[in-house]
Amino acid sequence: MNVIKLDATASTNTYLKGLLTSYDLDNFTVVSTENQFAGRGQRGEVWSSEVGSNLTFSVLVRDFLFEVEDVFCLNIIAALAVRSAVKKIFTLELDVKWPNDILSVNRKVGGILIENIFKAEGAITSIVGIGLNVNQVQFTDLTKATSLALLLGRQIDKDALMLKVVEELEMYCQRLQKGEKENLWQEYLDVLYRKGIPSAFELPTGKRFMGMIIGVSMYGFLQVKLEDDSVEEFGVKEIKLLY
């Protein structure tokens, strides 16, 4: 495994994309940093992380996706890989909040941001950015955040956890390549946060309503059953789950 460790960088995703313009990198090359000072999350939000306490890294994934309709599969695989790594090392159960946030009960442990590069010949190269709250114990302005250290009551070996996540990511990619797409989707739906539970949602306009998550479409849209029993699909920037 090719691991590139940086003391600081604006974004590990951006750094890894830059390397791709000059080098033919091995699949599953990793770029990690102790200080990511301009990290990004879903919806264009900033991903902030205490310097030296957490995991912020990006993984190159290529030669696994060749169809646009399979792009969301990588979101599924990445979330399941993080969850599986944590479960195998710490026997800790986590949920996946659509599209790919990692939660313990109602508190966020990690997030994933995937950026795809579409080639003219149809191949898709992906940068999987992963942020995990590992050893941080103070979250003054983040009331819905927690860390593995807080959940487990001890400090964690970050490097060992990162290597396990990448190992699991590679394993899940191989499962997709072997034709286990339906099984992977089912695993994701089985751990989807608040699936089948009446929940409150908010639209970009500020309007709130009740609904129930019933699934996710093949293109990654959240499927919500409304109070009139109709089902609507929403993109990442089109709806917010209130929890």
Side-chain angles (χ1 to χ4, degrees):
M1 186 184 300
N2 182 22
V3 180
I4 300 167
K5 293 188 176 183
L6 307 173
D7 289 332
T9 189
S11 162
T12 55
N13 269 27
T14 301
Y15 189 92
L16 185 49
K17 279 194 293 184
L19 288 179
L20 278 173
T21 63
S22 303
Y23 301 97
D24 183 21
L25 300 176
D26 292 337
N27 211 353
F28 299 101
T29 290
V30 178
V31 172
S32 70
T33 185
E34 294 295 322
N35 179 12
Q36 181 174 252
F37 50 85
R40 291 163 289 146
Q42 294 286 354
R43 306 172 189 269
E45 296 177 354
V46 173
W47 176 269
S48 59
S49 178
E50 186 175 83
V51 177
S53 296
N54 304 315
L55 278 175
T56 47
F57 64 101
S58 297
V59 187
L60 172 64
V61 177
R62 63 185 184 189
D63 305 324
F64 285 95
L65 301 179
F66 298 95
E67 303 292 340
V68 173
E69 56 263 32
D70 286 337
V71 166
F72 192 73
C73 286
L74 188 55
N75 287 267
I76 289 173
I77 287 170
L80 290 175
V82 172
R83 182 181 182 276
S84 179
V86 171
K87 184 177 181 179
K88 287 182 177 179
I89 296 177
F90 308 113
T91 63
L92 183 65
E93 293 283 353
L94 299 173
D95 296 317
V96 179
K97 177 177 168 288
W98 173 82
N100 47 26
D101 280 347
I102 310 300
L103 270 61
S104 174
V105 190
N106 295 320
R107 294 187 180 275
K108 186 172 178 177
V109 179
I112 298 166
L113 179 66
I114 298 177
E115 298 180 78
N116 298 297
I117 304 166
F118 298 89
K119 301 295 181 65
E121 68 275 14
I124 303 169
T125 297
S126 302
I127 308 294
V128 181
I130 298 173
L132 277 175
N133 297 329
V134 181
N135 289 322
Q136 185 171 342
V137 294
Q138 296 290 335
F139 295 93
T140 307
D141 300 321
L142 301 171
T143 58
K144 292 182 179 178
T146 190
S147 69
L148 294 176
L150 287 172
L151 293 169
L152 297 167
R154 59 185 173 88
Q155 293 289 287
I156 307 300
D157 183 333
K158 295 186 302 176
D159 287 341
L161 176 57
M162 182 181 72
L163 293 177
K164 186 62 175 176
V165 169
V166 179
E167 178 185 303
E168 292 294 303
L169 179 61
E170 186 170 2
M171 182 271 291
Y172 273 101
C173 284
Q174 290 170 350
R175 286 184 57 188
L176 177 63
Q177 201 171 44
K178 292 176 181 177
E180 295 187 39
K181 182 176 177 179
E182 288 188 14
N183 291 337
L184 294 171
W185 268 93
Q186 191 57 56
E187 284 183 35
Y188 175 79
L189 294 175
D190 286 346
V191 297
L192 191 60
Y193 180 67
R194 296 198 67 82
K195 179 176 176 285
I197 301 172
S199 305
F201 297 88
E202 184 177 272
L203 299 175
T205 60
K207 178 183 177 181
R208 296 185 175 185
F209 64 94
M210 294 297 296
M212 186 166 61
I213 297 172
I214 61 170
V216 178
S217 77
M218 64 181 295
Y219 290 104
F221 290 94
L222 188 69
Q223 298 170 328
V224 179
K225 185 176 182 179
L226 306 180
E227 290 182 294
D228 63 1
D229 287 336
S230 65
V231 176
E232 289 195 26
E233 295 186 352
F234 300 90
V236 173
K237 297 182 179 181
E238 297 174 341
I239 193 172
K240 182 178 182 181
L241 172 62
L242 304 177
Y243 67 101

